[in-house]
Amino acid sequence: MYLSFFPYRYRAFYDRAFDGPVKDEYKVGLLPQGKLAVGWIATEKNFTDLLIARFDPFGAEEVEETAEYFRKDNPSLGKKLLRGGQFVKIPVRQPLSVMVCDGFAAIGDSAFMTVPVIGSGIANSLRASKTLAETIAADKDEVFNAETLWHYQVRYYKELGSGLAPLACAKLALTKITPAQLDFIFASRILTEEDLTIGANSTRITDFLSLTPAEFIRRSKSVVKDVDLLAKIAKVGADVAETVVHTAAIPKKWNRGAVLKWAKKYDSVFTV
């Protein structure tokens, strides 16, 4: 089974309940109510923005329960729905292992180009569109077969995919960490707010996690206090390292046998 989760998401814009000052205009909650989920509340001038995402389906009743849970610490979140209020599925997984064949190239959500930990993919898709357009324009014979289109995938992996795939390994760790372990991670400052400052243009783990040797040692000492958590983090580290090796070894030229062999190794990291 591939761990290619398609989180169920709800997004809605509500009124702003009061005009007073807000301590944190943009807040993200991990595992709210102890459930395998994430949510955010953004307080704007005239409205509030609510997002709830889970790995399992949920309905309107659970949305209201979660919204009320968030309102306890975020009183600016109103109850009058202004826009949205829709349930959607967003792919948040590793990039597709084979994006091309004769006369066809996958792009955007069909190629899983989202940033795995946040689900934003517009920037990546636009960059990939430019690469694909240049690849097509370079095919002077207008063959547009797998051999010529493969250059598009090679460039994509070099510029983006090689960074997004390791992020997918880190994302999968969230499906295995318990709420208690998550509390321990933040209480022990194994992860900090600064570490989680990642935007739509962030495409590598190093974009949001860069440690000095001394800080790495301090955090490592904290991790070893929880043997189960240590094993989970060690597994993530091993998967990230393996993924980096595989993405770097992508065949530079199209050969069906070599490409399928490479894709099998790459996909194996995300298969259980």
Side-chain angles (χ1 to χ4, degrees):
M1 178 182 69
Y2 285 96
L3 291 173
S4 52
F5 292 100
F6 294 75
Y8 293 81
R9 299 193 176 202
Y10 174 87
R11 182 86 177 271
F13 297 90
Y14 293 89
D15 64 310
R16 179 167 173 166
F18 76 104
D19 296 328
V22 177
K23 181 180 178 181
D24 298 302
E25 294 182 346
Y26 303 97
K27 295 184 69 174
V28 176
L30 299 175
L31 306 186
Q33 300 169 289
K35 297 181 179 180
L36 197 57
V38 65
W40 85 44
I41 303 97
T43 303
E44 304 291 350
K45 183 178 180 180
N46 299 314
F47 63 90
T48 51
D49 177 1
L50 172 67
L51 179 141
I52 302 169
R54 294 184 182 177
F55 288 118
D56 298 307
F58 61 104
E61 183 176 341
E62 291 176 284
V63 165
E64 187 54 35
E65 290 176 358
T66 305
E68 283 299 318
Y69 172 82
F70 282 134
R71 287 185 181 110
K72 294 177 181 177
D73 296 318
N74 303 273
S76 61
L77 179 60
K79 295 185 177 183
K80 181 180 178 182
L81 180 65
L82 302 179
R83 288 174 52 196
Q86 298 173 318
F87 293 88
V88 297
K89 295 180 183 179
I90 300 177
V92 283
R93 48 153 278 177
Q94 73 279 7
L96 193 64
S97 56
V98 180
M99 300 179 180
V100 304
C101 63
D102 292 343
F104 174 86
I107 198 167
D109 283 357
S110 66
F112 305 105
M113 292 180 172
T114 55
V115 180
V117 290
I118 61 174
S120 179
I122 295 176
N124 293 341
S125 299
L126 289 173
R127 292 170 67 180
S129 297
K130 181 175 183 292
T131 299
L132 179 57
E134 291 174 348
T135 301
I136 292 173
D139 187 356
K140 302 301 181 183
D141 296 327
E142 299 184 356
V143 178
F144 310 133
N145 59 10
E147 182 177 359
T148 59
L149 292 172
W150 181 248
H151 298 293
Y152 150 68
Q153 178 165 335
V154 172
R155 277 190 58 188
Y156 178 82
Y157 265 84
K158 180 180 179 181
E159 297 171 9
L160 292 170
S162 60
L164 294 174
L167 277 173
C169 295
K171 186 271 301 185
L172 289 176
L174 291 175
T175 67
K176 302 176 177 66
I177 292 176
T178 66
Q181 288 175 331
L182 188 64
D183 287 342
F184 173 73
I185 285 172
F186 284 106
S188 303
R189 294 189 63 78
I190 295 169
L191 281 180
T192 67
E193 293 180 358
E194 291 75 17
D195 296 330
L196 297 179
T197 303
I198 181 170
N201 292 321
S202 300
T203 58
R204 297 180 183 277
I205 288 179
T206 52
D207 288 342
F208 70 103
L209 186 59
S210 180
L211 305 178
T212 64
E215 184 64 9
F216 177 79
I217 292 173
R218 183 196 67 77
R219 298 191 191 195
S220 298
K221 289 180 178 179
S222 296
V223 172
V224 298
K225 295 177 182 178
D226 186 323
V227 177
D228 181 58
L229 178 61
L230 176 62
K232 292 175 181 178
I233 292 177
K235 178 64 166 60
V236 173
D239 288 345
V240 167
E242 187 176 353
T243 301
V244 169
V245 171
H246 290 331
T247 54
I250 186 172
K252 300 303 183 287
K253 294 184 178 181
W254 173 265
N255 176 284
R256 180 178 173 81
V259 167
L260 293 180
K261 183 178 180 180
W262 171 83
K264 185 177 181 180
K265 289 182 178 180
Y266 168 80
D267 287 334
S268 68
V269 181
F270 307 94
T271 306
V272 295

